[in-house]
Amino acid sequence: MPANQMLWLFFGFSGRISRAAYFLAGLLMMILVVFMVYRLTLAQESGSGGAFWETLLSAVMIASLWAQAALGAKRVHDIDKPGLFAALLFVPLLNFIVFVGLCLVPGTPGANQYGQTTNRPK
């Protein structure tokens, strides 16, 4: 996948993405955050490099929050709803249910107001 498509996937809010793309991109973001937490824990246990990993984890967390919002908005677009519904992903206790729902609910077949096809910018 070209770099511009990766940037769009994780950071753009226009267009639509499929259930599989949403799930896999979300899983990748989760793995990245867990890896950063693991590295920070190791650095703190060894007593060196903790500040570096803490700063990197903070940057990854901010990027991850943005990416989750962008992924959610595009997934909601695929079911022909406004991207603002993706804000439900940030409501505690409701976020897991919304994530699973977005992974399971099929998108609108064919074109809709948010794009002609999935996994491409509008």
Side-chain angles (χ1 to χ4, degrees):
M1 180 179 278
N4 61 343
Q5 281 187 311
M6 291 293 279
L7 286 173
W8 166 80
L9 177 64
F10 287 104
F11 300 108
F13 284 84
S14 67
R16 304 164 52 183
I17 58 172
S18 66
R19 293 178 285 178
Y22 175 72
F23 175 75
L24 292 173
L27 184 62
L28 178 63
M29 293 307 300
M30 183 185 72
I31 289 170
L32 187 59
V33 169
V34 169
F35 176 74
M36 292 296 146
V37 170
Y38 166 73
R39 291 300 307 187
L40 175 60
T41 303
L42 287 180
Q44 288 175 337
E45 287 176 357
S46 72
S48 65
F52 169 77
W53 288 105
E54 191 172 300
T55 303
L56 194 56
L57 174 62
S58 296
V60 168
M61 289 297 294
I62 291 168
S64 177
L65 287 172
W66 185 276
Q68 290 301 331
L71 290 166
K74 288 189 292 278
R75 182 67 197 116
V76 171
H77 287 167
D78 193 42
I79 57 176
D80 208 16
K81 301 290 182 218
L84 193 54
F85 280 102
L88 295 173
L89 287 165
F90 298 98
V91 177
L93 303 177
L94 190 57
N95 56 357
F96 181 73
I97 295 166
V98 173
F99 177 79
V100 171
L102 290 176
C103 288
L104 297 176
V105 174
T108 305
N112 70 19
Q113 64 180 331
Y114 298 103
Q116 296 297 318
T117 185
T118 59
N119 305 328
R120 300 221 190 291
K122 182 175 180 182

